[in-house]
Amino acid sequence: MITRRDFVQQSLAVVSLGLAVPSVFSKAVAAAAEESSVRSVSGKTLIVVQMAGGVDGLNTVIPYRDLNYRRYRNELAITESDMIPVNDRAAFHPSFSRMKEILDAGKLAVIEGVGYQNPNFSHFKAMDIWQFADPEGKVNEGWLGRYFEGLTDAEGHPLTGLSYGNRLPEAFQSDKVSIPAVASLESFQLQNAVGDPNPDLRRTSLMKLYDVYRPANTRFAALLDTTLDNAYRSSIQLSEAHSNYKPAVTYPQSSLATGMRLLAELIDSGGQPGASPLRVGHVFIGGFDTHTNQPNTLTRLLRETSEAIHAFWTDVNAHGHGDDVLIMTWSEFGRRAGENAQAGTDHGWAVPMFVVGNQVKGGFYGEPPSLSSLDNGNLRFTTDFRSVYATILERWLKAPADDVLNGRFSQLNFLDA
Amino acid sequence: MTAQQTRESLLKTSTTRRAILGGSIAAASVAVTYAALGDKFGILDGLSSGSTRSDADALKKESVRINHLLRRAGFGVSREEYDHYQSLGLKATIDELVNYTSVDDSAAETLAGQIPLDRQGLPTRWLVRMANTKRPLQEKMTLFWHGLLTSQISVVQVPEMMERQNNFFRANAMATFPEILKGISMDPAMMIYLDISGSQRRAPNENYARELMELFALGIGNYTEQDIREAARAFTGWFVPRRRTGNNDFEYDEPTFRPNLFDGGTKTVLGRSGNFRPEDVIDIIVEQPASASFIVGKLFAFFAYPGADEQTLKPFVDTYLGSGKSIGATVEAILRSDEMYSPRAYRSIVRSPVEYAVAAIKALGLQGGVAGLVAQNRGQTLAQMGQVLYEPPNVAGWPGGETWLNSATMFARLNFINLVTGGAPQPAPRGARQQSQPAPGANLGTAAQALDYYLPLVLDDNVPEEARRVLLDYAGGPDAPLSPEQLRGLVYLILASPQFHLA
């Protein structure tokens, strides 16, 4: 059990300056304590994969021996010869062959029946609940944002967190720390003027303007200065990482795979194993809201997901970072047990999560949701999603889960305590 | 590469920066710490080069107060507006801003109306209007209401309905608070967004009742869950019929009331009982003292500064209550108050992306090219800055303040300045190019002349001496003739300055 106090002491480089210093100034704090030997609490990296829209868990991890499965999925049931049996009870969707390889290697944990009490069936509300880790809707900071608030990297790395995509996921939202969202390497840089004979002079002049603006009565001056400095250093680091990197695999052509490749580059930018500056990366694949014509869409999206994860996992292993990287998928809800009349499924409740990593104890966790006791046609949840978060926070990121999640949740054993 | 090498290369690539920052970053954090402690030791005097004094001094100038006002009650100024309002003086400027109904704004309306009303055009129409309006306060209040009584196009889906809501805000921007709440409660987009539509006696949907109390009119802690359940019953029976008009298109009809689905029983809301309808619930809510503090606090934070205490707000709460809960009277009182022009208010608000973009466009006289400018960069510029009009992140609106600033949004902002000052890889769009003489008639042959022209316009002529020196050094001295590239670079540096992020 790691206490709040340990966490702060281990991770905040300079407590003596006073906690009045918001963590956005972490770099400033780090610079003030240049000689401090304190390092970040965990050299581990978490990659969060959001499968947005509500994944049809029932056709992803299929209870193929359950007679009810075919009863509820008259049209949409996966043909037995196509599916990939993984044990005497469950089979994977045919598109999950790459995930099956990871399972066979003992590095994939499947957590079944994940959800929370009183489910919300709105995409937006449900996504907020997962990302704020708060079914009550009272919290407005993301669970990973709260994690970052407690974390100050003594090395002053600008890229401890990174979201690949247009906007910052709510999970990263924080009033105190700013995590970069990178839509593309091309947009994540300070552009020079076309035809400017002296772009360096313009850039250094700009940075001086931010440096010399130091009025005593605005709290934004230091934030502006550190944000620009941080952004610029991040962009240099990212593009250096990008140009120096040789992937060990050919990544598939998808936005998810492109994002994961970028994260792999960043993980490797620290050089040797354990030196990755990245603590948490976030990538996204959307389109799982399969109300109509589900088979083609789900086949494509599950393939994209499993191939991107497999490529990334293989790549980070080849670069020696396999022991320091954990991948977790999530989706805001599962789908209704019974199919609808348009070869699709509607918003449901329980959904599986997948966790990949060399340190993962592969296998099945949580109780499989029952097809014989539905709630209004929905698979009941059996494992609170915050138990999965708590496990990863405590056992992987070495952060105090109770504080980050505002409550105590039992942990699962897919990672060693 | 090893970690050590990476670190060294990092340091190397930003050597200049590190050299400058070596002491100053630590100094900045020390300054923040001491500011938080109330600077018992007088350390800030040495660190801040007298900046506190310089802001207070700057505010003594009426020209600065006018510019400050126009950042808050408008979207910054174009050269023409600057000249116009400066010649009016502060008092007459406030008069003109608040009495906007007597100002003709048809030109801006016509310009906005030329953009097609589809998903892409919807936010652009409003941006065009913001940049070209002669009624800046009305547009600013429209933005205030859009941020408070939010709806999202991604949920509502129909651009016409979102613009109708927007027109409601514009037309009633300064009405009384209960009138505005009653109007928005029967606005089709809102009724769809927060599920008033379809809520019925058997299972009242609590969504709207909850947000009405929590986010729109009262604030958390001033009502109970039971109040929400009871209030929700008063909003039952309403439907906004949806009609399919094409394959993926549909539109909404006027809201209809179905008495048989309305809960006609007695409800008890905030201590009062009766067979309430929506308007009764709103009247009960706005009678709560907490509601007056809530809305006045929101207005004060929007125009003057965030985080004011009760005592500071008291006179404005009195105005609000004494004027029959008039938003117009309250806003006017804030704009005329000393608090509005206090050092605490000055540069205390981070400009939202929309305010930032419009202010830059106006400063350069590019109002005619708004649509083209925001369409650059695959139309993603404002999204990358973090604010797409009609698409707030959720029902709580944009959180604002520090959340506008992160690495990605900082790049998006500065790269937009690069675009509008003519440095972007894509050529400037037509409308913008035609007007891209940034200062017709002005003599900008030297850095000194360019600074004289732009610094009062966009930075209140209030920048640290060191900043002035950086700008002059960039140009090779005050009197050296400027090449077109240098002038462009100088204007970029001025607009990209840290102070320009602040309102």
Side-chain angles (χ1 to χ4, degrees):
Chain A
M1 185 66 216
I2 304 144
T3 66
R4 174 86 188 164
R5 196 181 150 77
D6 291 342
F7 182 54
V8 167
Q9 284 197 342
Q10 286 172 40
S11 59
L12 271 186
V14 189
V15 182
S16 61
L17 260 182
L19 291 169
V21 184
S23 342
V24 281
F25 302 116
S26 58
K27 187 173 63 70
V29 174
E34 198 95 46
E35 300 314 311
S36 165
S37 60
V38 182
R39 293 184 54 91
S40 64
V41 259
S42 143
K44 305 298 185 190
T45 301
L46 170 68
I47 304 299
V48 177
V49 181
Q50 177 179 4
M51 301 167 78
V55 173
D56 184 21
L58 202 53
N59 270 5
T60 306
V61 182
I62 307 157
Y64 69 113
R65 299 247 164 108
D66 190 328
L67 294 177
N68 283 318
Y69 172 64
R70 257 154 238 293
R71 195 159 70 79
Y72 284 113
R73 295 293 172 88
N74 188 28
E75 186 90 8
L76 296 183
I78 306 290
T79 314
E80 189 139 358
S81 56
D82 290 346
M83 59 177 71
I84 308 167
V86 292
N87 59 31
D88 56 7
R89 173 182 62 78
F92 281 172
H93 187 282
S95 289
F96 249 32
S97 57
R98 289 300 205 173
M99 292 297 258
K100 170 69 160 48
E101 289 175 31
I102 305 176
L103 184 75
D104 290 344
K107 312 294 187 198
L108 167 66
V110 180
I111 304 150
E112 294 182 272
V114 187
Y116 52 92
Q117 207 60 258
N118 303 320
N120 198 302
F121 299 108
S122 139
H123 292 291
F124 306 97
K125 294 271 163 69
M127 283 184 200
D128 281 356
I129 287 169
W130 278 79
Q131 303 205 71
F132 295 135
D134 171 36
E136 310 288 309
K138 304 269 184 253
V139 171
N140 55 12
E141 291 189 304
W143 72 284
L144 294 167
R146 297 197 295 275
Y147 158 74
F148 277 112
E149 284 176 15
L151 176 76
T152 295
D153 183 345
E155 295 271 304
H157 286 301
L159 286 170
T160 51
L162 188 144
S163 166
Y164 181 76
N166 236 338
R167 61 178 279 244
L168 201 64
E170 269 75 16
F172 278 179
Q173 220 166 74
S174 158
D175 293 341
K176 303 188 187 70
V177 292
S178 111
I179 308 294
V182 178
S184 65
L185 280 175
E186 180 202 14
S187 68
F188 195 74
Q189 53 180 296
L190 193 61
Q191 284 170 4
N192 295 324
V194 170
D196 185 349
N198 201 345
D200 285 350
L201 178 62
R202 196 181 80 164
R203 195 193 68 248
T204 51
S205 301
L206 178 73
M207 295 191 124
K208 278 186 214 162
L209 290 175
Y210 280 67
D211 179 40
V212 300
Y213 178 52
R214 241 178 286 144
N217 67 334
T218 163
R219 54 202 228 274
F220 298 127
L223 175 64
L224 286 161
D225 185 24
T226 47
T227 302
L228 175 58
D229 186 52
N230 198 300
Y232 180 65
R233 296 196 307 135
S234 303
S235 68
I236 298 288
Q237 191 174 342
L238 264 185
S239 70
E240 268 188 18
H242 182 69
S243 54
N244 291 335
Y245 195 70
K246 302 252 182 307
V249 297
T250 306
Y251 279 86
Q253 299 280 327
S254 69
S255 161
L256 178 66
T258 306
M260 295 195 88
R261 183 194 146 140
L262 187 75
L263 295 175
E265 293 169 355
L266 192 53
I267 288 166
D268 193 53
S269 70
Q272 72 254 35
S276 158
L278 185 72
R279 297 281 74 79
V280 186
H282 194 281
V283 283
F284 173 96
I285 174 169
F288 286 95
D289 193 20
T290 48
H291 288 282
T292 57
N293 188 22
Q294 172 169 305
N296 291 341
T297 310
L298 191 66
T299 296
R300 176 172 57 82
L301 293 175
L302 288 180
R303 190 192 305 122
E304 272 186 26
T305 308
S306 69
E307 287 183 351
I309 289 174
H310 186 270
F312 172 80
W313 181 70
T314 309
D315 192 24
V316 292
N317 267 292
H319 284 84
H321 307 297
D323 291 348
D324 297 312
V325 173
L326 191 76
I327 307 159
M328 178 200 96
T329 73
W330 71 277
S331 188
E332 71 265 29
F333 41 61
R335 306 195 76 80
R336 201 76 47 80
E339 63 197 22
N340 65 26
Q342 295 163 287
T345 52
D346 298 316
H347 301 182
W349 192 357
V351 66
M353 293 174 77
F354 303 94
V355 181
V356 171
N358 287 357
Q359 308 283 359
V360 165
K361 288 190 281 179
F364 284 72
Y365 296 84
E367 198 185 319
S370 164
L371 272 169
S372 42
S373 98
L374 300 179
D375 177 277
N376 285 318
N378 287 320
L379 296 163
R380 292 172 194 272
F381 92 107
T382 53
T383 296
D384 193 299
F385 70 103
R386 289 165 296 181
S387 281
V388 180
Y389 290 0
T391 308
I392 290 174
L393 283 165
E394 290 273 342
R395 299 184 182 187
W396 187 253
L397 296 171
K398 307 293 181 198
D402 292 10
D403 286 339
V404 174
L405 299 175
N406 295 318
R408 174 155 301 189
F409 298 92
S410 59
Q411 294 176 26
L412 303 167
N413 287 319
F414 58 83
L415 291 169
D416 279 322
Chain B
M1 246 194 340
T2 67
Q4 188 54 36
Q5 281 169 331
T6 310
R7 186 155 166 72
E8 271 161 15
S9 73
L10 242 180
L11 291 178
K12 207 157 48 187
T13 51
S14 52
T15 305
T16 330
R17 181 69 176 158
R18 289 299 290 208
I20 304 158
L21 287 178
S24 66
I25 272 195
S29 87
V30 170
V32 170
T33 309
Y34 282 105
L37 295 173
D39 192 24
K40 280 182 216 138
F41 314 104
I43 285 166
L44 289 179
D45 288 345
L47 280 174
S48 63
S49 332
S51 303
T52 318
R53 240 164 307 152
S54 98
D55 283 351
D57 281 347
L59 283 162
K60 286 183 189 142
K61 294 186 200 141
E62 187 167 352
S63 61
V64 170
R65 295 202 296 278
I66 293 170
N67 253 12
H68 167 72
L69 169 72
L70 290 164
R71 286 193 290 272
R72 302 298 173 79
F75 298 86
V77 284
S78 65
R79 188 78 219 179
E80 298 77 54
E81 287 174 308
Y82 180 82
D83 292 342
H84 169 67
Y85 291 116
Q86 291 292 342
S87 73
L88 284 182
L90 181 62
K91 191 185 167 302
T93 294
I94 300 175
D95 292 343
E96 187 178 302
L97 288 176
V98 298
N99 299 316
Y100 58 71
T101 49
S102 52
V103 178
D104 174 25
D105 208 26
S106 53
E109 196 173 343
T110 306
L111 271 179
Q114 289 165 1
I115 313 282
L117 180 48
D118 51 25
R119 283 289 275 265
Q120 257 191 327
L122 176 72
T124 306
R125 284 161 74 102
W126 193 8
L127 287 165
V128 166
R129 193 146 184 171
M130 287 174 181
N132 290 281
T133 183
K134 302 255 181 281
R135 299 173 169 188
L137 180 57
Q138 186 181 29
E139 286 312 312
K140 202 61 181 280
M141 279 305 293
T142 307
L143 183 60
F144 171 83
W145 291 121
H146 176 55
L148 182 67
L149 310 176
T150 51
S151 300
Q152 292 173 255
I153 180 70
S154 60
V155 178
V156 176
Q157 307 247 14
V158 180
E160 287 82 0
M161 287 293 127
M162 291 302 288
E163 190 163 273
R164 171 174 163 161
Q165 182 183 82
N166 196 249
N167 286 330
F168 167 80
F169 289 144
R170 187 172 292 106
N172 296 279
M174 294 294 206
T176 70
F177 193 36
E179 281 167 349
I180 293 165
L181 290 174
K182 285 172 193 175
I184 199 66
S185 299
M186 288 295 126
D187 170 73
M190 178 61 80
M191 295 175 86
I192 287 161
Y193 181 57
L194 290 180
D195 303 321
I196 298 174
S197 175
S199 179
Q200 20 182 316
R201 181 163 47 95
R202 277 173 197 285
N205 189 309
E206 294 168 7
N207 206 358
Y208 187 73
R210 177 179 304 280
E211 306 310 3
L212 178 64
M213 293 195 204
E214 179 182 332
L215 297 173
F216 294 175
L218 205 48
I220 219 156
N222 298 306
Y223 56 87
T224 64
E225 287 296 306
Q226 185 63 21
D227 289 323
I228 288 172
R229 279 191 286 274
E230 294 282 298
R233 297 170 54 207
F235 286 91
T236 52
W238 287 94
F239 281 83
V240 181
R242 183 166 134 156
R243 193 151 36 83
R244 203 163 271 285
T245 56
N247 220 357
N248 276 317
D249 274 341
F250 53 88
E251 57 186 36
Y252 294 105
D253 287 332
E254 289 303 307
T256 56
F257 182 62
R258 299 189 194 159
N260 57 324
L261 298 173
F262 172 66
D263 182 339
T266 299
K267 301 117 190 161
T268 301
V269 179
L270 297 161
R272 294 189 43 196
S273 301
N275 176 12
F276 298 137
R277 311 244 331 196
E279 58 272 26
D280 304 314
V281 170
I282 286 163
D283 283 330
I284 292 168
I285 289 173
V286 296
E287 282 309 312
Q288 302 283 310
S291 174
S293 312
F294 175 87
I295 188 62
V296 173
K298 292 274 181 198
L299 288 167
F300 191 86
F302 187 76
F303 286 108
Y305 55 82
D309 58 23
E310 229 171 276
Q311 193 156 350
T312 309
L313 294 178
K314 172 96 177 35
F316 308 106
V317 171
D318 291 345
T319 303
Y320 171 76
L321 293 173
S323 62
K325 307 189 179 68
S326 161
I327 297 298
T330 311
V331 168
E332 185 172 347
I334 294 169
L335 298 185
R336 292 192 192 281
S337 71
D338 291 342
E339 287 298 329
M340 180 74 202
Y341 307 94
S342 63
R344 180 160 179 192
Y346 189 69
R347 290 177 177 164
S348 66
I349 292 176
V350 180
R351 275 179 161 150
S352 71
V354 159
E355 293 172 82
Y356 185 82
V358 172
I361 286 169
K362 286 170 63 159
L364 295 169
L366 300 175
Q367 299 91 304
V370 174
L373 287 169
V374 298
Q376 298 286 298
N377 192 16
R378 297 188 310 280
Q380 290 299 302
T381 293
L382 281 158
Q384 284 168 5
M385 288 192 209
Q387 186 180 37
V388 177
L389 291 171
Y390 298 101
E391 194 57 47
N394 54 51
V395 64
W398 291 280
E402 291 93 333
T403 66
W404 290 131
L405 302 171
N406 64 46
S407 310
T409 59
M410 180 60 85
F411 283 142
R413 282 171 175 244
L414 300 179
N415 292 340
F416 182 71
I417 300 298
N418 193 44
L419 169 76
V420 291
T421 53
Q426 309 107 312
R430 198 153 218 234
R433 207 167 43 222
Q434 281 161 352
Q435 297 193 30
S436 68
Q437 292 302 324
N443 187 354
L444 303 175
T446 66
Q449 286 166 335
L451 262 52
D452 282 349
Y453 182 88
Y454 279 109
L455 288 183
L457 182 69
V458 295
L459 299 179
D460 300 350
D461 207 17
N462 178 25
V463 297
E465 256 332 293
E466 302 96 305
R468 211 175 287 269
R469 215 171 310 131
V470 169
L471 294 169
L472 294 175
D473 286 351
Y474 171 80
D479 303 317
L482 289 176
S483 71
E485 286 77 23
Q486 281 177 312
L487 175 58
R488 206 166 63 184
L490 201 56
V491 178
Y492 166 89
L493 287 173
I494 292 170
L495 287 175
S497 284
Q499 296 91 336
F500 197 70
H501 294 286
L502 305 175

